[in-house]
Amino acid sequence: MSGDAAKILNVPIAGKSYDIVIGSGLLLSGLERVSALIRKGEKTALISDENVWQRYGYAVETGLNALGIATEAIVLPPGEKTKDIGHLSLVYDRMAAAGITRKGCVIALGGGVVGDLSGFAAATYMRGVDFIQIPTTLLAQVDSSVGGKTAVDIAAGKNLVGAFYQPRLVLIDPDVLTSLPPREFAAGMAEVIKYGAIASPSLFALLEQTTVPSMTEIICSCCAIKSDIVAEDEFDNGHRAILNFGHTFGHAIEKRYGFSKYNHGEAVAAGMRIAAHIGEKIGMTAPGTAARLGSLLDRYGLTATESPVGLIEHIKSDKKGEAGGVNLVLLKALGAVVCVYKRFEELEVLLDD
Ligand code: GLY
């Protein structure tokens, strides 16, 4: 992966546009870009989890300190359980005790849990401080670090307390992915394949090639797609929903097993298979699409298939707020989507038949 030149994409959100910089070695060589955004003399919270910290934390902190940035390292336990109000409160306390002011900054160094929690801390601490994302998982690099969704979980469900809060910079180093466990890498590839399926026949075809494409190129394509969608619909009132292709079924599959059998990406992959199959069944999706999508998912180790039978109960409980039905994101063909509203009764017949 090394040797790729850094690429810069801009997320053009009015009044708060920011760059996503992607390239090999940026974890350290990109820190000057980070320091350029931090006000001199202000302390910065560097938030991470124990696993990421062990591997990269010391180098990043030392690099920032060498550039004159004083840091308060806040290292949290790894895992989704950390994304709660208790740990958020601990982060606020540590930031306050360290003397971080309204002019300070929060840097998230980690995957989606660290990014989501740190982003919400940045959005709310002293009514908002600057925020920078340095994502270290593929899922975070292509999805959660871009677009400003921040949140914590509460007992009633995941991501139920949060804010839209855009970062000032996203710094992506694909080299860090070499240390990801294979399952976690594959989970990120589910989101990568999703981008190809919903918006880019060329990305989809690139992933189908026998030669392994450059991760910088792949991440760039995904971030460009997400950036366009987010710029058009920052607050998730319409078009941004297409990013949820496979997610309605994926969330239901996660619920079916009480979040224990699959990780999010694996469940979304199984959900995309169901969405493509349903699309073909009702004549919305070009015949053969589900088979091609299935082959690509297999190729990246996302081989799980789930029966659609009985999934409706979990969809209903996941979509409690929506009276009577659900908007499904379906494929027209690879690279193009269509949104279709289905009443729960109709969907139940489609799934169970
Ligand atoms: N992860 C989907 C979104 O950012 O809207």
Side-chain angles (χ1 to χ4, degrees), residues 59-324:
V60 170
E61 184 170 43
T62 308
L64 288 168
N65 296 162
L67 292 165
I69 308 298
T71 45
E72 173 70 8
I74 304 175
V75 183
L76 302 168
E80 182 77 27
K81 284 201 169 74
T82 294
K83 216 176 102 174
D84 67 357
I85 302 271
H87 288 91
L88 177 69
S89 172
L90 183 145
V91 166
Y92 293 141
D93 290 343
R94 290 280 306 277
M95 288 173 69
I100 293 172
T101 74
R102 280 192 63 203
K103 292 182 179 153
C105 181
V106 170
I107 300 175
L109 173 70
V113 167
V114 165
D116 284 7
L117 180 139
S118 305
F120 189 57
T124 47
Y125 180 76
M126 295 198 178
R127 301 194 182 87
V129 297
D130 284 345
F131 178 46
I132 292 172
Q133 288 265 22
I134 310 182
T136 59
T137 63
L138 182 56
L139 195 73
Q141 292 187 344
V142 298
D143 182 21
S144 58
S145 69
V146 175
K149 279 191 179 174
T150 73
V152 291
D153 305 333
I154 56 172
K158 286 190 178 192
N159 296 323
L160 289 189
V161 176
F164 288 95
Y165 197 67
Q166 301 298 335
R168 306 251 354 254
L169 172 71
V170 183
L171 193 68
I172 299 179
D173 183 348
D175 288 358
V176 302
L177 302 179
T178 52
S179 59
L180 273 192
R183 250 186 102 176
E184 228 180 295
F185 184 80
M189 284 307 300
E191 294 289 345
V192 170
I193 292 168
K194 178 199 78 180
Y195 284 112
I198 63 171
S200 175
S202 60
L203 173 61
F204 199 91
L206 180 76
L207 296 168
E208 287 181 316
Q209 283 175 14
T210 40
T211 46
V212 180
S214 127
M215 285 314 290
T216 298
E217 196 181 342
I218 290 179
I219 296 164
C220 250
S221 301
C222 296
C223 289
I225 294 166
K226 181 142 189 195
S227 159
D228 283 350
I229 294 170
V230 165
E232 192 183 320
D233 180 22
E234 181 186 1
F235 297 113
D236 207 359
N237 291 318
H239 189 51
R240 192 164 173 162
I242 72 168
L243 292 167
N244 292 334
F245 172 60
H247 285 60
T248 296
F249 301 120
H251 290 162
I253 291 166
E254 283 184 289
K255 283 204 154 199
R256 173 181 270 171
Y257 296 103
F259 295 91
S260 64
K261 182 166 179 184
Y262 300 117
N263 63 33
H264 177 70
E266 290 165 339
V268 166
M272 288 195 288
R273 288 178 193 265
I274 293 175
H277 176 70
I278 294 279
E280 287 192 20
K281 197 168 173 179
I282 62 174
M284 287 281 180
T285 302
T289 304
R292 211 171 137 199
L293 178 63
S295 304
L296 189 59
L297 291 168
D298 286 345
R299 171 143 187 234
Y300 284 92
L302 297 155
T303 51
T305 54
E306 275 291 322
S307 167
V309 177
L311 221 45
I312 193 69
E313 287 319 312
H314 303 289
I315 293 174
K316 280 185 187 164
S317 87
D318 195 39
K319 305 279 176 195
K320 280 198 281 275
E322 288 164 47

